[in-house]
């Protein structure tokens, strides 16, 4: 069954003078439980595409259906609730909140969902242990290494066990060995929690581990 379906997706950015066309008629179906790797050169629109699929940005035209519902027709409250419940997003650069500890960052989606602080922090702590950061729970992002920050970002994206996980090249700024360890963890957890996932990567080896590989070139998507 398809969980996510995008049809004829187009995205243009306009600054009043120039129009940049980034996506042109993109179609993609992601089945329940499937993992899809998105590859493409820098500037090909991978982040733009992921942000539109995750409801963080709107398309110029076309539709994104999640369980047959058009996510861009949700009102603001419904969109926020949908994201909080169903979506995990690991950003290209971790996007952790600098003034909160690792534990507080990971607990955030649960607090937003209405859990008590003690319940949320208990679950967040277990998730941080799961990603190998038992010894860094009280650290602030500035006190963590790049790889540790991405582990926190993974824990935050998965702590509420979302149905759909997006990862936007989460190892872009890490050394090779650290990057591979982060991806291994990501794939392991995705399988453990049975999450459907869309992962942007430059890494051909990682892309090959996903069920389906698609590429973005000149605004068009093709299956590899
Ligand atoms: N807000 C914006 N206004 C104008 N142009 C934009 C905007 N956001 C992105 N773009 C342009 O859209 C294109 C795609 O950007 P995007 O960030 O999606 O690429 P990417 O494939 O994720 O690249 P990378 O691999 O470097 O992360 C780029 O040419 C970029 O300049
Ligand atoms: Mg990008």
């Amino acid at each position: 069954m398809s969980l996510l379906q995008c049809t004829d997706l187009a995205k243009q950015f306009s600054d009043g003078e120039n129009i940049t066309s980034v996506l042109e008629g993109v179609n993609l179906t992601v089945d329940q439980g499937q993992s899809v790797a998105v590859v493409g050169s820098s500037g090909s629109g991978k982040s733009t595409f992921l942000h539109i699929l995750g409801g963080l940005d709107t398309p110029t035209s076309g539709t994104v259906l999640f369980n047959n519902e058009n996510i861009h027709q949700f009102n603001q409250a419904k969109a926020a609730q949908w994201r909080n419940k169903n979506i995990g997003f690991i950003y290209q650069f971790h996007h952790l909140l600098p003034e909160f500890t690792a534990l507080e960052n990971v607990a955030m989606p649960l607090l937003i969902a209405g859990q008590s602080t003690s319940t949320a922090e208990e679950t967040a702590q277990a998730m941080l242990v799961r990603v190998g950061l038992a010894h860094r729970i009280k650290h602030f992002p500035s006190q963590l290494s790049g790889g540790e920050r991405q582990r926190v970002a993974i824990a935050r994206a998965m702590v509420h066990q979302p149905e759909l996980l997006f990862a936007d090249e989460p190892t872009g700024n890490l050394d090779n060995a650290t990057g591979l360890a982060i991806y291994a963890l990501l794939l392991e957890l995705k399988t453990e929690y049975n999450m459907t996932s869309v992962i942007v990567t430059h890494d051909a080896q990682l892309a090959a581990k996903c069920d389906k590989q698609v590429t973005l070139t000149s605004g068009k998507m093709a299956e590899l």
Side-chain angles (χ1 to χ4, degrees), residues 95-108:
H95 279 213
L96 297 173
L97 299 167
E99 67 275 29
F100 291 96
T101 63
L103 184 69
E104 289 164 343
N105 266 286
V106 176
M108 203 61 77

Side-chain angles (χ1 to χ4, degrees), residues 54-207:
L56 302 166
D57 198 357
T58 52
T60 306
S61 60
T63 55
V64 178
L65 304 182
F66 177 87
N67 277 332
N68 289 323
E69 281 192 283
N70 185 333
I71 64 162
H72 295 104
Q73 283 177 352
F74 293 159
N75 65 29
Q76 223 176 347
K78 172 103 197 269
Q81 190 193 34
W82 171 75
R83 279 200 304 271
N84 180 244
K85 179 165 182 280
N86 298 290
I87 302 299
F89 208 106
I90 306 168
Y91 295 89
Q92 193 160 6
F93 305 101
H94 57 83
H95 279 213
L96 297 173
L97 299 167
E99 67 275 29
F100 291 96
T101 63
L103 184 69
E104 289 164 343
N105 266 286
V106 176
M108 203 61 77
L110 304 175
L111 294 173
I112 291 169
Q115 291 192 11
S116 70
T117 306
S118 59
T119 311
E121 290 196 346
E122 202 176 306
T123 310
Q125 177 153 355
M127 195 69 217
L128 280 164
V129 171
R130 181 66 190 80
V131 300
L133 287 180
H135 57 314
R136 294 286 183 268
I137 278 167
K138 295 280 169 60
H139 281 227
F140 290 89
S142 62
Q143 300 169 324
L144 297 168
S145 73
E148 287 170 343
R149 280 179 212 153
Q150 285 302 29
R151 284 175 192 269
V152 178
I154 290 173
R156 180 183 56 178
M158 294 189 175
V159 73
H160 53 310
Q161 305 213 4
E163 218 174 324
L164 184 55
L165 178 76
F166 294 106
D168 188 0
E169 211 163 1
T171 63
N173 54 346
L174 301 176
D175 67 73
N176 206 30
T178 310
L180 286 176
I182 292 289
Y183 269 131
L185 175 69
L186 190 64
L187 294 178
E188 201 179 299
L189 288 170
K190 169 187 86 56
T191 306
E192 193 174 311
Y193 296 141
N194 193 27
M195 283 176 201
T196 306
S197 54
V198 182
I199 300 172
V200 169
T201 179
H202 272 130
D203 188 308
Q205 266 178 310
L206 173 82

